[in-house]
Amino acid sequence: MHRYARRRVLGTGAGLMSIAALPACAADLLTTPAQTEGPFYPLDLPLDDDNDLVQVAGRAERATGTLLDLGGRVLGADGRPAGGLRVEIWQCDAGGVYHHPGARRAPADPNFQGFGHTVAGADGTYRFRTIVPVAYPGRTPHIHVKVLGGDVEALTTQLYVAGNAEQNRRDGLYRSLGRAAELVTVALQPDGDGRRALFDIVLGPDGVPKSG
């Protein structure tokens, strides 16, 4: 447990969209393409690394930026839920700065966690509260995503934002995906003062860690 009084942690079963009602196809799904972890995965995980990145334990103010309610399901290629897997995300703050010593062009937002994790439910659902990603020199807006089962890394990828066609086109990592970029490009929908996004993660046949 963290040493601070905890706030409400987001659940996976309500609020984003009707995630649990999404169909799981019997036919094979298109696998989410893998991408590089990049250089800014945290060297040390923050004490507060839950699924709410915009409110750091022990701090009264929330992170700067447009709120984003991000969720979806982790699925196998056969469409079956891959529950119990750890889902991690990390990204820069609204000023384009990562919580990483190699990326300190300016002070990072102390009210932004920068990294978070959750565990996919039995139905594969996961959920995060974060901010809409922003661009920084050399990169289009994106969120890093990693799925793990125990010590087994099932997938590392990056999520991109639809509607940023020009920025995406200039990004070398995005271009390298070719047509598969469609599988990691997500539309943001209005959600009060913020946005919401649905991103299903489909693991390849060898990507779902075996139990036992």
Side-chain angles (χ1 to χ4, degrees), residues 38-188:
F40 301 135
Y41 185 86
L43 297 179
D44 297 299
L45 299 187
L47 289 176
D48 190 358
D49 71 346
D50 60 15
N51 64 341
D52 186 347
L53 279 68
V54 303
Q55 192 73 57
V56 176
R59 301 190 68 89
E61 297 181 24
R62 76 162 180 84
T64 300
T66 302
L67 292 177
L68 175 64
D69 196 351
L70 169 65
R73 292 199 301 176
V74 184
L75 304 168
D78 58 2
R80 295 182 180 181
L85 301 184
R86 177 182 170 100
V87 182
E88 299 179 347
I89 67 170
W90 64 101
Q91 66 186 103
C92 66
D93 63 22
V97 180
Y98 281 91
H99 286 266
H100 188 285
R104 295 291 172 83
R105 298 180 293 103
D109 181 356
N111 299 312
F112 184 57
Q113 234 169 249
F115 172 94
H117 91 277
T118 190
V119 175
D123 58 355
T125 57
Y126 73 92
R127 188 180 179 198
F128 289 96
R129 186 177 184 232
T130 184
I131 61 171
V132 172
V134 301
Y136 58 86
R139 290 305 315 275
T140 193
H142 63 283
I143 297 175
H144 298 267
V145 181
K146 181 182 288 192
V147 181
L148 307 99
D151 295 328
V152 178
E153 182 177 325
L155 176 71
T156 298
T157 191
Q158 296 181 32
L159 178 158
Y160 299 90
V161 178
N164 291 333
E166 183 61 25
Q167 288 178 309
N168 289 345
R169 185 188 64 77
R170 294 198 303 264
D171 189 286
L173 286 174
Y174 187 87
R175 290 199 312 271
S176 71
L177 291 167
R179 294 187 63 181
E182 297 176 4
L183 301 175
V184 289
T185 305
V186 178
L188 306 188

Side-chain angles (χ1 to χ4, degrees), residues 13-17 69 127 191 196:
L16 178 70
M17 297 177 186
D69 196 351
R127 188 180 179 198
D191 185 28
R196 66 180 185 273

